[in-house]
Amino acid sequence: MDMEIIMVLISTTLSSVFVGLQLYHVKKLPNVLPLISTFMMSILTFGHMIPLVLNFEALLAQNPNNKNFVFGYVGWLEVNEITVRIIIMIAFLLQFRLLQLTWLSRKTSESEANLWIAERKATYVTFPLYAAGLLISLLSKLRNDGFQEYSSWENMKSYGGLVLDSFLVPQVILNLVSNMNENVLSRSFYFGTTFVRLLPHGYDLYRARNYARLVNGSYFYANPNADFYSTSWDIVIPLGGILFAIIIYLQQRFGAQCVLPPRFRGPKVYEKVPVATEVEM
């Protein structure tokens, strides 16, 4: 329990730092704000908001009679619960501010209509991808764990964690649709947030080897009911997250469509270069 509370504190603190660095990035480069995916920002904002409502309150409510046995120091737990909630609140406010700035920048942009059209096209692609991921992941989990072990609501919560793990997907699609060639996201933000999202899977592998499995509902960190955790998922999900981060890096360095085969790329935009003309003397 102590180890998991420390991991929650580290993860939420790092999330706040990386969002703060992205806010600093857009302050230096305000022209990139309209190019940020509002879909991605909404996913991350909800990801910070939901734990404020459900996190420790639900855990304590599930085992009121076993609180002293499970946690040992009730007072110490309550202090850390308050600390974690404060840090999550800070991360949520920073993320909400970033979403607000992105939304407002679209309204003041000269190409507002084009940006929203691109966002809508990207959403039309992203939703089917997430829907297909939901179907595949749920079928895989039900096949491995059985229909009696988890409720439909618990399965949906697990998929919500999977969506957060793949938070960069909307930005990747938006970049392709708009043929973006700007440093929209700071490296510290997309690599750092990816690290924070993948850290629970690394911890789950470590926990499986070094700790006994806790009773259901007693997890503070890497809760099996809040994401997909197993030896295979703990390998596949980090590889996927790292892949999306690398794609964002390549798109921002070489152009959004550099990740596509040449035959599927759009027309190149060439820069006009003034040509010197000879002047008769």
Side-chain angles (χ1 to χ4, degrees):
M1 286 287 95
D2 294 349
M3 182 65 176
E4 295 196 0
I5 292 174
I6 292 173
M7 294 298 295
V8 172
L9 290 171
I10 292 174
S11 296
T12 51
T13 301
L14 287 176
S15 296
S16 301
V17 171
F18 295 138
V19 176
L21 291 173
Q22 177 64 21
L23 285 169
Y24 177 71
H25 176 74
V26 298
K27 183 178 181 180
K28 293 193 303 179
L29 301 172
N31 60 302
V32 304
L33 264 173
L35 302 176
I36 298 177
S37 170
T38 56
F39 193 1
M40 178 187 69
M41 290 293 105
S42 299
I43 289 174
L44 292 173
T45 302
F46 277 107
H48 289 298
M49 182 185 69
I50 293 174
L52 290 174
V53 181
L54 302 176
N55 196 2
F56 286 98
E57 183 177 352
L59 290 173
L60 295 176
Q62 288 175 0
N63 297 289
N65 298 325
N66 298 331
K67 188 187 300 182
N68 293 333
F69 172 76
V70 176
F71 299 121
Y73 312 101
V74 177
W76 180 86
L77 173 67
E78 291 176 351
V79 170
N80 282 278
E81 175 187 347
I82 295 173
T83 303
V84 171
R85 284 183 177 272
I86 291 174
I87 298 176
I88 294 176
M89 175 63 74
I90 294 173
F92 166 72
L93 292 175
L94 291 173
Q95 189 67 61
F96 181 79
R97 177 57 177 168
L98 187 56
L99 173 61
Q100 182 185 37
L101 291 174
T102 303
W103 189 277
L104 293 177
S105 67
R106 292 279 181 89
K107 294 185 177 181
T108 59
S109 175
E110 296 179 357
S111 56
E112 175 187 358
N114 293 333
L115 290 171
W116 282 116
I117 291 173
E119 182 84 38
R120 187 161 57 247
K121 290 180 179 179
T123 303
Y124 291 156
V125 177
T126 305
F127 264 119
L129 289 177
Y130 279 141
L134 171 63
L135 180 61
I136 294 172
S137 58
L138 290 183
L139 288 176
S140 175
K141 189 168 186 178
L142 291 174
R143 183 187 63 183
N144 295 331
D145 299 333
F147 288 86
Q148 72 284 355
E149 186 171 347
Y150 298 104
S151 67
S152 299
W153 171 241
E154 289 172 338
N155 286 325
M156 290 301 296
K157 287 194 298 183
S158 297
Y159 184 69
L162 187 62
V163 170
L164 280 169
D165 292 338
S166 57
F167 72 98
L168 286 173
V169 171
Q171 187 66 55
V172 170
I173 303 300
L174 180 61
N175 292 347
L176 291 172
V177 172
S178 60
N179 200 11
M180 181 277 305
N181 193 24
E182 300 284 345
N183 290 321
V184 177
L185 304 178
S186 66
R187 295 180 188 176
S188 58
F189 174 73
Y190 63 84
F191 275 118
T193 306
T194 298
F195 171 76
V196 170
R197 289 303 312 168
L198 304 185
L199 188 60
H201 295 279
Y203 173 76
D204 184 62
L205 289 173
Y206 170 80
R207 179 175 60 190
R209 291 178 174 272
N210 295 277
Y211 295 100
R213 183 175 177 84
L214 298 175
V215 295
N216 189 29
S218 298
Y219 292 95
F220 274 85
Y221 188 70
N223 190 336
N225 293 332
D227 205 334
F228 287 86
Y229 292 104
S230 67
T231 302
S232 57
W233 282 115
D234 290 339
I235 295 175
V236 172
I237 292 176
L239 290 177
I242 293 171
L243 175 63
F244 291 133
I246 292 175
I247 290 175
I248 291 289
Y249 171 79
L250 294 175
Q251 287 182 326
Q252 296 190 163
R253 185 174 179 85
F254 303 107
Q257 297 185 354
C258 71
V259 297
L260 296 177
R263 60 181 299 182
F264 295 106
R265 297 178 188 176
K268 294 182 178 180
V269 178
Y270 296 94
E271 182 182 359
K272 294 183 179 180
V273 180
V275 178
T277 58
E278 296 183 357
V279 179
E280 296 182 359
M281 300 299 294

